[in-house]
Amino acid sequence: LLWTEKMLGRIFARAPLKSSGSSLLCFKRAVQVSTLTTSWASIRFCSTSAEAPKKLWGGRFTGETDPLMEKFNDSIGFDKRLWKHDIDGSCAYARALSKSGIITEEECSLMIDGLKKVAQEWRNGTFEIKQGDEDIHTANERRLGEIIGKTAGKLHTGRSRNDQVATDVRLWVKEEVESMRALLVTLLHVSAKRAESEIEYLMPGYTHLQPAQPIRWSHWILSHAWRWKRDLERLDDLNKRVDKMPLGSGALAGHPFNIDREALAKDLGFSGLCMNSLDAVSDRDFIAEFLFFGTMLGIHLSQWAEDLIIYGSGEFRYVAMSDAYSTGSSLMPQKKNPDALELLRGKSGRNIGDLIGLLTTLKGLPSTYNKDLQEDKELLFDCVDTLNACIPIATGVMSTLKPNPERMRGGLAGEMLATDLADYLVRKGVPFRETHHIAGEAVALAEDRGCDLMDLKHADLQPLHEAFEPDVESVWSMEASVECRSAIGGTSKAAVLSQAKALMAEIGSLGQK
């Protein structure tokens, strides 16, 4: 600009204003020179240029906003997915203003009719985002003004984008919670039904990734299902705190026109109100809670996927992935990769990152609204999108997985019955700490002889302790091992079927919510 002013000074100095014609010529020359500067500088010299749209906050400012700052500040690129909830909130708010006498019924009807037209444009994909639409609230209000005129300017009376966006996000999360819980209920139902139908399959159970004790395949399935059920409970519990309305809190200090916030909350389907206006506009606990839920669910899906990746490997082959959820190699024709499971395992890291990102943003914020909170939505949206992709994939894998009971049975080894050998002596009255040591000696004996623990006979065991009797050889049974653990939560057939039934019952009650 300084360069332009100098150039203009030189032009006018070289061409004295002797007549109106020469004056016009000088002005034209000045405009030509000004076009050599930046495009926005040239616009300032052109009286015919279109004015930029007014900002919702522009009255205080007289200077131009740096285009880089415009782009840096805008959130319309991602918060446009809140368009429906923003319009729903505005319609309800217009009704609240009308009931309070702040606008007339005719103005209210005009606003709502206009907002419905805006909503239809979003549904049809014809809504045009224009320069200056920095967020979804600005875009919808600008378009409403184009449709109904100056009356649109009354809609924001007493309302701030601070309480507006907090309301929009809560409405959006409420909907997502309902759709996501339906996906989780389906996954749980498939898991429980599969556990019931494959109750007879026995497999090794592992600790430290080492063979430990025999279990039922169904017991393993349900071990993951109960984790997902806890995730569903977390989702339902956090929804109670999502379901509070911040609208009517203004920027931070409350509403100056005494609207009926309780009626407004009922109109929008909220169960209650955010009771403190300072807290209402800044509270993002519900998003953090949702991200924690998403993180835990992602971790649980990852752990389940990791088990199946191992069980499906060539060394194990306990299960086989359906072709529908596997991919191949671009080089090795024989490969069948469990990419669905690996992606479930990998995407859990995104969920963790979303949670940590938000918590880090929140930790140093002063009271009430700060622009930092704009960063909450991309993290939330990413987590929701990730889970909405992961849960159906997990359900598909669970539905189509092919267990190999022969390979599972082949993975069982006699050493897994060492604890059963110790328990045998306990039933004979020997203290467990002593029986544990004796069973360990039996394992060492089998190793020294190069045989399986199950190959040891009564004559081999009797020297280890006098309590061993001929019936000790009945311990060498995988079925007997799982069946003797009949307490609630154990591996016996009755216990596993009982927990599957209990899970189905709880799914049924949860599914009714």
Side-chain angles (χ1 to χ4, degrees), residues 298-310:
I299 288 173
H300 290 155
L301 290 173
S302 177
Q303 293 172 330
W304 171 75
E306 172 65 6
D307 275 358
L308 288 178
I309 290 168
I310 293 172

Side-chain angles (χ1 to χ4, degrees), residues 155-170:
L155 177 59
H156 211 56
T157 303
R159 183 173 67 169
S160 165
R161 285 184 297 174
N162 297 355
D163 62 342
Q164 186 177 1
V165 68
T167 303
D168 292 355
V169 174
R170 285 174 182 266

Side-chain angles (χ1 to χ4, degrees), residues 417-431:
L417 299 176
T419 304
D420 296 83
L421 186 63
D423 291 342
Y424 170 87
L425 291 176
V426 168
R427 293 184 175 94
K428 299 292 186 179
V430 182

Side-chain angles (χ1 to χ4, degrees), residues 9 11 51 100 114 117-118 120 134-135 158 161 178 188 197-198 200 234 270 279 296 354 371 384 399 408 440:
I11 290 171
E51 293 186 4
S100 297
K117 292 178 181 178
V118 176
Q120 192 60 47
E134 62 181 79
D135 52 42
R161 285 184 297 174
E178 288 306 309
L188 286 166
S197 65
E198 295 170 347
E200 301 296 342
R234 266 186 283 271
F270 284 103
D279 177 57
M296 287 308 305
D354 291 334
K371 193 70 171 185
V384 170
S399 301
M408 292 179 181

Side-chain angles (χ1 to χ4, degrees), residues 76-77 80 122 126-131 133-134 139 142:
I76 187 66
K80 62 185 178 183
W122 281 108
T126 58
F127 187 96
E128 182 182 356
I129 297 175
K130 296 184 178 180
Q131 182 182 359
D133 290 346
E134 62 181 79
R142 184 265 307 161

Side-chain angles (χ1 to χ4, degrees), residues 28 44-45 82 137 139 144 149 271 311 359 418 427 470 497 504:
K28 288 182 178 179
R44 296 183 61 156
F45 285 94
L82 298 173
H137 326 296
L144 179 64
S271 65
Y311 296 162
L359 294 178
R427 293 184 175 94
L497 288 175
M504 288 291 288

Side-chain angles (χ1 to χ4, degrees), residues 86-97:
D86 189 69
I87 291 174
D88 289 345
S90 290
C91 287
Y93 191 69
R95 288 188 287 269
L97 291 177

Side-chain angles (χ1 to χ4, degrees), residues 310-449:
I310 293 172
Y311 296 162
S313 66
E315 292 77 9
F316 284 77
R317 288 186 290 156
Y318 293 169
V319 296
M321 289 278 289
S322 167
D323 288 351
Y325 298 97
S326 305
T327 65
S329 166
S330 61
L331 177 65
M332 297 169 283
Q334 83 280 9
K335 292 297 294 295
K336 182 178 179 180
N337 299 325
D339 283 12
L341 296 173
E342 291 174 0
L343 286 170
L344 288 173
R345 186 177 60 186
K347 287 182 181 295
S348 64
R350 292 178 65 123
N351 298 333
I352 296 170
D354 291 334
L355 173 62
I356 297 302
L358 180 66
L359 294 178
T360 305
T361 297
L362 295 178
K363 74 173 185 63
L365 294 185
S367 296
T368 79
Y369 185 83
N370 296 270
K371 193 70 171 185
D372 313 51
L373 294 176
Q374 181 168 290
E375 296 300 303
D376 62 356
K377 285 172 282 300
E378 287 186 285
L379 301 172
L380 173 63
F381 296 159
D382 180 69
C383 181
V384 170
D385 292 343
T386 300
L387 294 178
N388 281 336
C390 287
I391 301 172
I393 291 295
T395 303
V397 171
M398 181 66 84
S399 301
T400 59
L401 198 65
K402 298 176 182 178
N404 187 335
E406 290 75 22
R407 287 289 301 185
M408 292 179 181
R409 169 73 67 164
L412 296 172
E415 64 187 34
M416 297 180 186
L417 299 176
T419 304
D420 296 83
L421 186 63
D423 291 342
Y424 170 87
L425 291 176
V426 168
R427 293 184 175 94
K428 299 292 186 179
V430 182
F432 175 76
R433 281 303 165 202
E434 186 177 342
T435 69
H436 184 280
H437 182 75
I438 296 169
E441 290 181 336
V443 171
L445 176 62
E447 289 178 349
D448 289 342
R449 293 185 178 184

